[in-house]
């Protein structure tokens, strides 16, 4: 058995399904390129039949990404499988169809309302349908961890006979534990006679906090593909975290004598790109990529690290892409220092894009004493989104209070050379400003469903990064903004959410939706 573990990244599918983590087509493509740089073996790019947008994203990734295999998800239905192939076929011999059906008693009886034989027959039919298009077919027994071992073995054997080149044994609801899950994988290898004709994969969820331990237990019992996501995002409590699994294998060779193709120095840049696109940061104490992952505050720890880093660090920050000690950038820093820092952070910018980013850096440096890496990442993000945030642009915000401390907001925005301006009151300064923007842009029916602000860095002059989600007619749009004034950051984010709606409507109109 090979000691190589195939890394199957499902950030763009299972991860992106999670509320608040949606990305647009441009972001998905950029993220897929970063996954290629990271060295993942398989990118599950989406669920093509679920929506036109998902189909277009999978198709675009299949056309543009050249290294990894490109996979699409399909239920065990002919129309799903056919639609999936139409999206992934552009990847040629790297195209994969991933079809699935549930096998646990509660799913078979309550959801599918079928017999176990009917479910097995559907699985076989689905695999055979997919094999008409490609030999690269993955089959999943949804909710395998709550399925009887004998039945799992029966379905897996039938799927392999039908032509499945990979069989996936998911812990769909995060119910299992390493001892139980490891035994399940071992049982499959022991009792399925044709198991050597396929690759056994695992897909673990984190509802009980055991997604990575379960994946590691599965590998020790013969699984050779692990399905995971960057930062562990995904449905409910998330999926197995790619960075945690990979670094367990990299650091504990004595316990996990395996290897992956992951370029570990790309882990941190990949994690940061995802937080840029979704606007949702990882918790500070998150393993591998959290802000405190390599921080040492206790005196004993600091003393030990200064003498010998391995006293309190089991891996080096640089091994996962942390840049190490930062060059201090400020208003006196030049273009060369800025470009060098961009490159150290994993960004390649040139031409007009670089000029705009450098100008934004100088503007920010005038507002705060020191520009941190996180500030630079926000600058790059804003430049990347400039085209998406095209129609309305922030102009000015002024807040005043009357003698009874009631706020009045005055907002100025620009649109296609015109200046729009309005004043108004509300329950608070932001409520007043948001109401004005809705009136100026004709978005009175839009509802604010989520709003939060995070400090980009530390200090009283830190930038605030605001996220806004608006909903209208059952559709949602996300807007992000950053500024040293959190009120202005919030207004910028709200305006950009409005622009997001306009962009979506234009895209749907172009597709004839």
């Amino acid at each position: 058995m090979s000691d190589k573990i195939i890394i199957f990244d499902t950030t763009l599918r299972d991860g992106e399904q999670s509320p608040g983590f949606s990305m647009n087509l441009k972001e998905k493509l950029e993220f897929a390129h970063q996954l290629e740089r990271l060295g993942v073996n398989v990118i599950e790019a989406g669920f093509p039949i679920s929506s036109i947008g998902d189909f277009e994203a999978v198709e675009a990734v299949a056309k543009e990404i050249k290294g990894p295999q490109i996979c699409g998800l399909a239920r065990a239905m002919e129309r799903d499988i056919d639609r999936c192939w139409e999206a992934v076929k552009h990847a040629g011999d790297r195209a994969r169809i991933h079809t699935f059906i549930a096998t646990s008693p509660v799913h078979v009886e309550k959801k599918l309302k079928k017999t176990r034989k009917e479910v097995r027959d559907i699985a076989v039919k689905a695999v055979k349908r997919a094999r008409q298009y490609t030999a690269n077919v993955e089959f999943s027994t949804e909710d395998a961890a709550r399925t009887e071992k004998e039945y799992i073995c029966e379905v897996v054997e039938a799927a392999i006979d039908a032509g499945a080149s990979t069989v996936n044994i998911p812990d769909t609801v995060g119910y299992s534990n390493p001892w139980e899950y490891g035994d399940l994988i071992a049982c499959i290898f022991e009792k399925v006679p044709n198991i050597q004709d396929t690759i056994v994969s695992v897909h673990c969820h984190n509802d009980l906090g055991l997604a990575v331990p379960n994946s590691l237990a599965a590998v020790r019992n013969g699984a050779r593909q692990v399905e995971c996501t960057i930062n562990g995002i995904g449905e409910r409590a998330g999926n197995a975290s790619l960075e945690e699994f990979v670094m367990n294998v990299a650091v504990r060779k004595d316990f996990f004598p395996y290897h992956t193709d992951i370029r570990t120095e790309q882990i941190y840049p990949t994690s940061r790109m995802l937080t840029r696109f979704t606007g949702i940061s990882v918790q500070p104490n998150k393993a591998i990529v959290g802000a405190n992952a390599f921080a040492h505050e206790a005196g004993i720890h600091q003393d030990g690290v200064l003498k010998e880093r391995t006293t309190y660090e089991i891996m080096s920050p640089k091994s996962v892409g942390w840049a190490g000690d930062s060059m201090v950038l400020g208003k006196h820093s030049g273009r060369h220092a800025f470009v060098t820092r961009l490159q150290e952070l994993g960004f390649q910018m040139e031409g007009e894009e670089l000029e705009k980013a450098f100008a934004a850096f100088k503007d920010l440096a005038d507002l705060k004493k020191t520009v941190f890496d996180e500030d630079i990442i926000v600058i790059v993000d804003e430049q990347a989104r400039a085209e998406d945030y095209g129609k309305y642009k922030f102009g000015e915000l002024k807040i005043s209070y009357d003698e009874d401390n009631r706020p009045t907001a005055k907002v100025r925005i620009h649109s296609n050379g015109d200046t729009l301006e309005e004043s108004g009151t509300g329950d608070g300064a932001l409520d007043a400003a948001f109401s004005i923007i809705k009136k100026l842009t004709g978005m009175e029916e839009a509802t604010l469903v989520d709003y939060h602000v995070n400090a980009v860095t530390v200090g009283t002059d830190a930038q605030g990064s605001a996220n806004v989600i608006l909903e209208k007619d059952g559709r949602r749009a996300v807007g992000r903004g950053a500024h040293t004034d959190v009120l202005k950051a919030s207004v910028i984010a709200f305006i950009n959410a409005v622009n997001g709606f306009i962009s979506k409507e234009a895209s749907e109109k172009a597709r004839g939706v």
Side-chain angles (χ1 to χ4, degrees):
M1 184 178 290
S2 170
D3 63 356
K4 174 181 172 178
I5 308 301
I6 296 167
I7 298 298
F8 177 112
D9 184 275
T10 185
T11 306
L12 291 174
R13 201 277 299 171
D14 203 335
E16 208 251 351
Q17 285 178 195
S18 150
F21 284 93
S22 62
M23 290 180 264
N24 61 35
L25 178 57
K26 180 180 177 183
E27 291 166 340
K28 287 181 179 181
L29 277 174
E30 187 175 344
F31 191 74
H33 278 293
Q34 180 58 31
L35 290 176
E36 184 178 11
R37 288 189 286 272
L38 179 63
V40 304
N41 304 104
V42 185
I43 297 174
E44 188 167 51
F47 194 172
I49 204 168
S50 64
S51 69
I52 293 175
D54 233 39
F55 176 88
E56 290 177 344
V58 177
E59 182 181 49
V61 170
K63 287 179 177 179
E64 194 161 316
I65 303 302
K66 303 304 180 187
Q69 296 178 42
I70 307 302
C71 177
L73 186 66
R75 293 168 297 183
M77 299 178 179
E78 287 189 359
R79 65 178 185 273
D80 277 43
I81 293 165
D82 296 345
R83 185 68 166 163
C84 182
W85 176 248
E86 285 300 309
V88 301
K89 66 182 181 182
H90 306 282
D93 59 3
R94 294 177 295 103
R96 177 184 294 196
I97 296 174
H98 180 189
T99 186
F100 71 96
I101 193 168
T103 54
S104 66
V106 67
H107 278 257
V108 171
E109 296 166 15
K110 303 298 184 181
K111 184 181 78 172
L112 300 176
K113 300 186 184 300
K114 296 186 181 297
T115 67
R116 299 203 304 180
K117 180 182 183 301
E118 287 174 326
V119 168
R120 185 196 64 199
D121 292 344
I122 291 169
V124 168
K125 185 178 178 181
V127 172
K128 288 182 175 178
R129 180 75 174 192
R131 277 297 299 247
Q132 293 178 6
Y133 296 116
T134 177
N136 192 353
V137 176
E138 177 171 341
F139 172 72
S140 285
T141 56
E142 185 185 8
D143 203 19
R146 294 194 294 173
T147 303
E148 305 94 323
K149 290 180 180 177
E150 295 77 10
Y151 185 52
I152 281 286
C153 291
E154 177 186 338
V155 175
V156 165
E157 181 180 354
I160 297 170
D161 279 341
S165 56
T166 301
V167 289
N168 185 40
I169 315 299
D171 183 13
T172 305
V173 294
Y175 178 74
S176 199
N177 60 62
W179 301 271
E180 181 182 46
Y181 197 60
D183 285 346
L184 173 60
I185 301 303
C187 176
I188 289 170
F189 272 94
E190 178 185 348
K191 295 187 175 181
V192 177
N194 55 359
I195 197 66
Q196 300 302 328
D197 297 333
T198 193
I199 293 170
V200 175
S201 174
V202 291
H203 178 116
C204 299
H205 278 263
N206 208 39
D207 297 72
L208 292 175
L210 294 171
V212 171
N214 285 344
S215 300
L216 290 166
V219 165
R220 281 176 60 87
N221 283 278
R224 287 298 179 266
Q225 176 176 283
V226 172
E227 306 193 0
C228 42
T229 62
I230 301 300
N231 296 345
I233 70 170
E235 292 276 9
R236 305 179 312 280
N239 290 56
S241 161
L242 180 148
E243 58 275 7
E244 292 175 21
F245 175 84
V246 166
M247 293 312 294
N248 264 278
V249 172
V251 171
R252 292 304 307 271
K253 288 294 185 187
D254 56 330
F255 212 70
F256 304 110
Y258 318 112
H259 72 274
T260 72
D261 290 334
I262 296 298
R263 303 177 187 96
T264 61
E265 68 278 3
Q266 288 294 325
I267 284 176
Y268 184 66
T270 309
S271 170
R272 292 313 304 259
M273 180 180 287
L274 183 62
T275 62
R276 283 197 295 123
F277 287 164
T278 62
I280 299 177
S281 301
V282 297
Q283 68 269 28
N285 64 330
K286 167 77 167 66
I288 317 299
V289 295
N292 294 344
F294 298 97
H296 305 280
E297 184 170 337
I300 294 174
H301 287 214
Q302 291 173 342
D303 178 66
V305 168
L306 289 171
K307 291 174 179 175
E308 170 53 52
R309 297 200 74 91
T310 58
T311 54
Y312 289 101
E313 287 184 356
I314 60 173
M315 69 194 92
S316 73
K318 289 185 178 180
S319 71
V320 296
W322 285 79
D325 296 331
S326 298
M327 182 189 303
V328 177
L329 297 180
K331 65 180 181 180
H332 299 299
S333 299
R335 186 186 309 275
H336 182 258
F338 178 70
V339 172
T340 298
R341 197 73 194 124
L342 282 178
Q343 292 171 345
E344 290 173 347
L345 292 170
F347 300 116
Q348 300 295 327
M349 302 181 77
E350 56 186 20
E352 184 179 358
E353 186 182 34
L354 174 59
E355 293 303 316
K356 290 181 178 179
F358 183 65
F361 158 71
K362 296 298 280 187
D363 288 343
L364 180 61
D366 283 336
L367 295 174
K368 55 184 302 190
K369 183 178 179 180
T370 302
V371 178
F372 295 95
D373 289 349
E374 291 83 357
D375 294 313
I376 295 174
I377 290 169
V378 168
I379 288 170
V380 173
D381 184 35
E382 290 299 306
Q383 296 310 309
R385 295 177 183 278
E387 293 181 7
D388 299 330
Y389 297 157
K391 182 169 183 180
Y392 295 108
K393 297 186 185 298
F394 172 73
E396 188 178 14
L397 171 69
K398 289 185 177 181
I399 305 294
S400 59
Y401 295 86
D402 63 18
E403 58 185 15
D404 294 321
N405 208 33
R406 289 176 301 194
T408 296
K410 179 180 180 182
V411 179
R412 179 182 300 155
I413 60 178
H414 304 293
S415 176
N416 300 324
D418 296 327
T419 297
L420 309 175
E421 190 175 293
E422 186 73 53
S423 297
T425 60
D427 292 335
L430 279 180
D431 179 59
F434 289 170
S435 297
I436 293 168
I437 296 167
K438 289 202 287 186
K439 181 178 179 181
L440 290 174
T441 60
M443 292 286 289
E444 289 95 336
E445 297 178 5
T447 302
L448 178 67
V449 296
D450 188 37
Y451 163 68
H452 60 268
V453 178
N454 296 311
V456 175
T457 58
V458 297
T460 56
D461 63 350
Q463 285 195 95
S465 176
N467 267 54
V468 164
I469 299 179
L470 295 180
E471 184 173 72
K472 179 186 176 187
D473 300 328
R475 293 175 297 179
R476 292 189 175 189
V478 179
R480 303 177 184 96
H483 200 279
T484 52
D485 182 329
V486 293
L487 292 178
K488 290 182 180 179
S490 303
V491 167
I492 292 169
F494 198 96
I495 292 170
N496 287 338
V498 171
N499 284 326
F501 265 113
I502 295 169
S503 177
K504 281 189 175 184
E505 289 171 354
S507 176
E508 291 174 358
K509 185 176 181 180
R511 296 196 306 256
V513 177

